[in-house]
Amino acid sequence: MTKSKKTIDTTDQDVYNKLSAKKKPAESGHWYTQTGEPMYTVIGANGKERNTTLRDAKKDNLVPSVTTVLGMIAKPGLENWKINQALNSALTLEKEEDESISDFAYRCKQDSKRIGQEAAEQGTKIHAMIEQGFEGGKTNKPYKAVKAFLDNQFPNEHWIAEDSFCADLGYGGKIDLYSTTGIFVDFKTKDNLEGKDPASLVYDEHGMQLSAYAQGCGYTDVERVSIFVDRKQHDLISCHIWDRDSQTKHTEMFNSILNYWKLVKNYESKKI
């Protein structure tokens, strides 16, 4: 695997401010090189940077990310959240005088998309704060909460943050956190975590993502942990440790989707 190093030495608010203006490609369009390096963007014919496409991938033997592959399946939790945001926009925005229904509907869609983008940016910032702590930068609320949980459940582990890889089966990814003994951790952000059962927050896609990371890194017997961080109360987390018995099932499910992705895209991505 190729280690992705970033040392961040700022306050919690500085991290938020620094990342607020950054834009990154949607996770459904992430690509990796044969050595596991991220290749999310390329320089186009006009000399300007643009998002990497499937055509670029075929040309340069790039492999899709785990999230790109999982983008082929429906995500009930995410879809329900999007529907709720759209309904909220429709109920809270005022229809302007003489505004057509179609124009009002379009404005509601744009407003709900804005909320989704803001939530995604918030997630990026919180991920950066946790990474900052594990890579030796200044500690912060989400990092302290995550570290306290992991130290209690898995003491004396050596943790590696934001490591990327290219798997033999032809996919890649960047792992939020894992240990050298085979504990794989993924972070998600969520609203209003107070009092919620961790088991109610996870879906098969979360287990598949972690299983795909483990498989891609050559691990078979692993612990998988999904950690949700509250978007507003950053020291509030909800943690789910996956049943080891579901590891094989989730790996097989992911591999089936990977094969489907290759057939749909007409691209036999593989590690050369």
Side-chain angles (χ1 to χ4, degrees):
M1 291 184 297
T2 302
K3 184 73 168 69
S4 173
K5 281 188 174 294
K6 284 185 289 184
T7 300
I8 306 172
D9 189 26
T10 53
T11 64
D12 291 9
Q13 190 60 50
D14 287 339
V15 175
Y16 268 63
N17 295 338
K18 184 177 180 181
L19 292 173
S20 62
K22 283 190 175 182
K23 301 289 184 183
K24 73 174 185 176
E27 288 193 353
S28 59
H30 280 181
W31 300 89
Y32 290 83
T33 67
Q34 291 288 312
T35 57
E37 293 288 347
M39 186 66 74
Y40 306 153
T41 61
V42 296
I43 302 300
N46 60 359
K48 295 182 179 180
E49 188 178 39
R50 60 171 174 78
N51 290 348
T52 305
T53 65
L54 177 62
R55 184 176 180 179
D56 298 320
K58 291 181 177 181
K59 177 184 175 183
D60 297 327
N61 293 320
L62 305 178
V63 299
S65 69
V66 170
T67 48
T68 294
V69 173
L70 291 178
M72 300 296 290
I73 62 172
K75 298 175 176 60
L78 177 60
E79 293 307 315
N80 187 60
W81 184 85
K82 288 180 179 179
I83 291 171
N84 286 338
Q85 296 310 312
L87 289 172
N88 184 66
S89 294
L91 291 170
T92 56
L93 292 178
E94 291 189 10
K95 185 175 178 294
E96 297 176 356
E97 188 175 354
D98 298 326
E99 183 180 26
S100 69
I101 291 296
S102 60
D103 286 345
F104 178 64
Y106 176 78
R107 190 155 59 87
C108 290
K109 288 180 182 178
Q110 294 304 110
D111 184 66
S112 63
K113 285 183 180 179
R114 174 188 58 79
I115 295 171
Q117 290 172 349
E118 290 175 354
E121 290 170 2
Q122 182 86 336
T124 297
K125 296 168 189 176
I126 292 173
H127 273 73
M129 295 172 75
I130 297 172
E131 178 190 353
Q132 164 193 310
F134 279 102
E135 292 207 336
K138 289 185 178 179
T139 59
N140 49 72
K141 288 181 179 179
Y143 162 75
K144 288 179 180 178
V146 168
K147 186 67 163 55
F149 169 78
L150 293 176
D151 283 348
N152 180 64
Q153 292 291 326
F154 312 103
N156 305 316
E157 292 287 341
H158 173 64
W159 298 104
I160 301 170
E162 294 294 319
D163 214 11
S164 56
F165 67 91
C166 176
D168 293 341
L169 289 179
Y171 67 90
K174 183 174 282 188
I175 310 159
D176 285 347
L177 192 72
Y178 77 101
S179 76
T180 52
T181 61
I183 303 168
F184 286 77
V185 185
D186 186 68
F187 305 119
K188 306 292 184 189
T189 53
K190 202 85 171 174
D191 292 322
N192 306 315
L193 278 180
E194 187 71 48
K196 289 186 177 178
D197 179 6
S200 70
L201 303 175
V202 294
Y203 294 88
D204 276 329
E205 69 195 67
H206 300 139
M208 283 189 279
Q209 183 177 2
L210 287 162
S211 293
Y213 289 157
Q215 175 181 245
C217 296
Y219 288 81
T220 54
D221 185 23
V222 301
E223 288 281 8
R224 296 168 299 150
V225 186
S226 293
I227 298 181
F228 296 85
V229 183
D230 193 278
R231 289 194 182 101
K232 291 184 178 180
Q233 189 177 338
H234 297 155
D235 56 353
L236 176 61
I237 64 174
S238 185
C239 309
H240 178 76
I241 300 177
W242 289 88
D243 189 329
R244 280 176 175 260
D245 291 341
S246 66
Q247 165 72 10
T248 299
K249 181 187 78 169
H250 284 147
T251 301
E252 291 177 355
M253 289 171 69
F254 173 79
N255 290 341
S256 296
I257 299 167
L258 175 62
N259 289 332
Y260 177 69
W261 182 93
K262 291 179 179 181
L263 291 169
V264 170
K265 302 299 181 181
N266 193 30
Y267 179 38
E268 181 56 40
S269 65
K270 58 184 177 181
K271 190 171 183 180
I272 301 174

